[in-house]
Amino acid sequence: MSDPPGPLIGSGRAADVYDLGDGTVVRRYRTPNAGLEREAEVMRYVRSKGYPAPRVHAVDGRDLVMDKVDGRTMMSRLQDAPAKVWTYGRLLARLQAALAEIPAPDFLMAAGWSAGTDDRVLHLDLHPMNVMIAAGGPVVIDWTNAAGGPPGFDAAMTYVEMATYEVDGHKERIGRAVLLRRFTRLRGRRLIDSFIGAACDHRLADSNTTPGERVAIAELRTRTAGRERRE
């Protein structure tokens, strides 16, 4: 494995982010990623439509080089300022709604969830850890899972991820509940419920989902199935 190209400034489940010291960062995957060129293409595409994603400079093997976003994640901000949960719930809903306005290009549909003529770009991992709050506004990162399909599926994925990630402490659980309530109200309960079962199944099929999350997702899936039967 090659030496780190600079200071480590972030780590996710599949990749690490290093500061290159020239206003850019490299997102380095720990294993070969055949979809890296596609991820870069998605970011370039949504930026061309005015959506806040980092500017991509290069793709090289396991490395994706892009502009450094000077800011902190929405999650980090919430930990320091829990009172902003209402504001950030609204922001997250607006970011997801804005993405739902962008038509899905043909190259995304090969791995998409086609609904016909109304397919849109889906991030499929849009949660507070993947929104950077910078001086110039929010920036959405980590487009690894992007696809094309119905906007409701993306909204449901956001809901499922936020509802089932593991938290410690009473305050954290309350904060998550408020964030979910705000997001759901603004995106629409009916829209989310239409795809929540499929979103649960998608998360359960993801090898990066933790054991604790799997338990929570399965419980949410059971509650959803019960509600669908009653309706």
Side-chain angles (χ1 to χ4, degrees):
M1 183 176 293
S2 58
D3 293 333
L8 179 68
I9 60 173
S11 291
R13 296 183 182 182
D16 301 305
V17 180
Y18 299 92
D19 189 346
L20 297 181
D22 59 357
T24 66
V25 298
V26 58
R27 178 181 172 89
R28 173 167 291 174
Y29 286 84
R30 300 187 191 99
T31 59
N33 188 329
L36 207 51
E37 289 282 0
R38 179 176 164 278
E39 181 179 357
E41 192 172 1
V42 173
M43 294 166 69
R44 293 185 182 110
Y45 175 73
V46 297
R47 274 185 60 85
S48 76
K49 301 298 183 181
Y51 196 80
R55 184 188 305 277
V56 174
H57 292 274
V59 177
D60 182 13
R62 294 184 292 118
D63 292 350
L64 176 62
V65 181
M66 52 193 162
D67 279 351
K68 180 181 179 181
V69 180
D70 286 319
R72 294 163 57 198
T73 67
M74 180 184 288
M75 179 66 78
S76 175
R77 295 273 188 174
L78 279 169
Q79 289 170 344
D80 288 348
K84 287 185 175 291
V85 64
W86 198 249
T87 298
Y88 284 153
R90 179 179 60 197
L91 175 59
L92 195 64
R94 288 179 174 176
L95 287 168
Q96 203 280 316
L99 190 61
E101 295 296 319
I102 302 177
D106 289 342
F107 74 86
L108 272 186
M109 295 315 301
W113 302 76
S114 181
T117 59
D118 197 35
D119 294 319
R120 295 293 187 265
V121 175
L122 313 180
H123 185 279
L124 299 183
D125 204 17
L126 184 54
H127 54 71
M129 284 296 291
N130 283 336
V131 178
M132 300 291 292
I133 306 298
V139 180
V140 177
I141 61 173
D142 194 354
W143 293 81
T144 307
N145 299 326
F153 185 70
D154 205 25
M157 282 294 295
T158 294
Y159 180 92
V160 170
E161 288 183 317
M162 291 196 300
T164 60
Y165 77 88
E166 299 179 77
V167 297
D168 295 317
H170 183 62
K171 290 183 179 179
E172 288 76 10
R173 286 191 289 272
I174 291 176
R176 178 173 65 181
V178 174
L179 189 69
L180 277 169
R181 188 179 305 122
R182 184 62 163 164
F183 177 82
T184 302
R185 180 178 180 182
L186 292 174
R187 289 305 287 135
R189 177 83 264 176
R190 186 184 296 268
L191 176 71
I192 292 171
D193 278 354
S194 296
F195 293 93
I196 198 167
C200 286
D201 293 342
H202 187 66
R203 286 290 293 147
L204 288 172
D206 186 344
S207 61
N208 289 319
T209 303
T210 69
E213 288 170 341
R214 289 183 182 280
V215 171
I217 294 166
E219 291 174 350
L220 177 61
R221 185 70 180 89
T222 299
R223 293 196 302 272
T224 300
R227 185 164 63 241
E228 288 171 349
R229 286 194 295 269
R230 289 193 298 273
E231 293 175 353

